[in-house]
Amino acid sequence: MDIVVHEAGTEAAVLECSGRLNMVSAPAFRETVATVIEGGRPRVAVELSRVEFLDSSGLGALVGALKTARQAGGDLRIAAPSEQVAMVLKLSNIDKILRSYADGDEAVREWV
């Protein structure tokens, strides 16, 4: 999985992810989110339009990242989930916890 971090305002960041968010890539995803939050950006939007596959480990990484962000006084939002990702989020009811936005800019708009 590739992750590109974009700063969005003073306390927010957008993470553009591509590839597969699964058992192999989940630890690196968690580490990237933690680094962004520790760097003073506790409000994180994760853009998932180019994520072709999400499994239970990826779901766990997203929920763990949400918890990390909230413990730091921030939040985590998802943006533009691909069709497969949206299906997994819906089947697992995680879509009730992580609100989806059209894109990363929309997800952080009220934060900046």
Side-chain angles (χ1 to χ4, degrees):
M1 165 176 257
D2 291 321
I3 304 171
V4 178
V5 178
H6 301 281
E7 295 179 357
T10 57
E11 293 187 355
V14 176
L15 277 59
E16 287 185 31
C17 302
S18 60
R20 302 168 65 88
L21 183 48
N22 58 14
M23 180 176 71
V24 174
S25 62
F29 173 80
R30 281 192 210 100
E31 185 177 316
T32 300
V33 171
T35 300
V36 167
I37 292 169
E38 289 167 5
R41 299 188 185 282
R43 296 175 177 165
V44 179
V46 181
E47 190 163 317
L48 300 169
S49 61
R50 294 185 301 151
V51 173
E52 60 203 36
F53 181 77
L54 175 74
D55 68 4
S56 60
S57 296
L59 282 174
L62 286 170
V63 172
L66 172 64
K67 181 179 177 183
T68 301
R70 288 188 175 166
Q71 286 175 337
D75 198 9
L76 183 127
R77 297 174 176 175
I78 57 172
S82 66
E83 188 175 325
Q84 192 274 340
V85 170
M87 181 185 68
V88 171
L89 293 169
K90 184 175 175 75
L91 289 172
S92 63
N93 286 322
I94 299 297
D95 63 335
K96 307 282 191 260
I97 299 168
L98 291 171
R99 183 172 166 208
S100 182
Y101 292 81
D103 58 40
D105 291 338
E106 182 184 323
V108 299
R109 186 166 289 129
E110 65 189 50
W111 289 339
V112 293

